[in-house]
Amino acid sequence: KNQVEQSPQSLIILEGKNCTLQCNYTVSPFSNLRWYKQDTGRGPVSLTIMTFSENTKSNGRYTATLDADTKQSSLHITASQLSDSASYICVVSDRGSTLGRLYFGRGTQLTVWP
Amino acid sequence: EADIYQTPRYLVIGTGKKITLECSQTMGHDKMYWYQQDPGMELHLIHYSYGVNSTEKGDLSSESTVSRIRTEHFPLTLESARPSHTSQYLCASSESDKLYGYTFGSGTRLTVV
């Protein structure tokens, strides 16, 4: 069964600190992995997209890494800000599907305290 | 700035009422999707469409129905709302064969009392 598992489920950090969120997946065949940020009551917003050949992708203070061999990804947030408080969702797409099917993790709920 | 719009943002409605959740996108995307999301849980695909007059059911069984009469419009209808339908409904769209550009709307938070 194709799955996407994220850890930790929730995380509290102080403003200015760094943090790393984890994503493990079993989706096969693999096409791409996306990280989304979802503010409470809003739709997910794309942060990064990585294909099989990409190991790392940055978007400002967000850096995602991908190890396609171990089927693991991480999202590193540098110098956290209060506005980083949100749910971060890992999404994996399988290859060979005309739909470009997406498999969603349950997200890591990040809270940044002042 | 989001180019996919959902209305209403919040809706509280009584059991048995018929409701339609609106979703429109201005990007000309051929594919559109409806997801259901409960708090702390992953998104579940309930309906999708490849294009005009094309609609399919997703992974999660849903009593809702959808239509795709125009490319830009993909409304979701519940003929008789029940408390079990209380959830967040997210609409999304994408362009065929494009890796980027999978865009979500802001969602509709539905509460059935």
Side-chain angles (χ1 to χ4, degrees), chain A residues 3-105:
Chain A
Q3 286 188 321
V4 178
E5 300 289 341
Q6 292 188 242
S7 61
Q9 182 176 349
S10 62
L11 181 63
I12 299 174
I13 61 172
L14 294 177
E15 186 179 15
K17 297 297 185 182
N18 304 334
C19 66
T20 300
L21 314 180
Q22 300 290 342
C23 174
N24 296 336
Y25 62 92
T26 60
V27 177
S28 181
F30 173 84
S31 174
N32 59 81
L33 185 145
R34 310 160 188 243
W35 282 94
Y36 283 87
K37 177 186 179 186
Q38 185 177 23
D39 293 315
T40 301
R42 310 289 296 189
V45 175
S46 179
L47 295 174
T48 62
I49 301 175
M50 290 181 293
T51 60
F52 184 88
S53 60
E54 295 176 293
N55 301 118
T56 185
K57 182 74 70 76
S58 291
N59 178 1
R61 293 180 297 103
Y62 302 101
T63 300
T65 63
L66 173 65
D67 186 335
D69 292 330
T70 61
K71 298 186 176 182
Q72 295 180 326
S73 176
S74 65
L75 180 70
H76 186 74
I77 304 175
T78 303
S80 61
Q81 301 175 359
L82 299 179
S83 59
D84 292 332
S85 294
S87 178
Y88 292 83
I89 303 172
C90 177
V91 184
V92 181
S93 178
D94 62 6
R95 191 174 59 227
S97 166
T98 57
L99 178 61
R101 181 174 176 147
L102 303 184
Y103 296 86
F104 292 82

Side-chain angles (χ1 to χ4, degrees), chain A residues 32 34 36 38 41-44 49 51 54 57 89 98-102 104-106, chain B residues 9 31 33 35 37 40-43 45 48 50 59 88 90 99-100 102 104-106:
Chain A
N32 59 81
R34 310 160 188 243
Y36 283 87
Q38 185 177 23
R42 310 289 296 189
I49 301 175
T51 60
E54 295 176 293
K57 182 74 70 76
I89 303 172
T98 57
L99 178 61
R101 181 174 176 147
L102 303 184
F104 292 82
R106 293 187 176 185
Chain B
R9 287 292 318 282
K31 293 181 178 178
Y33 316 83
Y35 289 89
Q37 184 184 30
M41 301 297 287
E42 64 266 48
L43 278 72
L45 182 67
Y48 62 94
Y50 287 134
D59 306 318
Q88 168 140 315
L90 289 160
L99 179 60
Y100 297 90
Y102 199 108
F104 285 89
S106 293

Side-chain angles (χ1 to χ4, degrees), chain B residues 39-84:
Chain B
M41 301 297 287
E42 64 266 48
L43 278 72
H44 290 287
L45 182 67
I46 52 175
H47 297 283
Y48 62 94
S49 168
Y50 287 134
V52 172
N53 294 324
S54 160
T55 62
E56 301 288 343
K57 290 188 178 295
D59 306 318
L60 183 66
S61 176
S62 175
E63 294 168 346
S64 58
T65 59
V66 292
S67 63
R68 189 89 182 274
I69 299 174
R70 303 197 314 266
T71 299
E72 62 272 21
H73 196 213
F74 192 39
L76 180 145
T77 299
L78 276 166
E79 290 292 333
S80 179
R82 295 207 303 268
S84 61

Side-chain angles (χ1 to χ4, degrees), chain B residues 4-42:
Chain B
I4 181 165
Y5 305 96
Q6 291 187 241
T7 58
R9 287 292 318 282
Y10 303 94
L11 179 61
V12 180
I13 200 164
T15 298
K17 299 293 184 182
K18 177 181 179 179
I19 58 170
T20 297
L21 308 185
E22 301 289 348
C23 176
S24 296
Q25 48 98 5
T26 59
M27 298 170 283
H29 286 172
D30 48 355
K31 293 181 178 178
M32 295 189 74
Y33 316 83
W34 276 103
Y35 289 89
Q36 186 173 340
Q37 184 184 30
D38 293 321
M41 301 297 287
E42 64 266 48

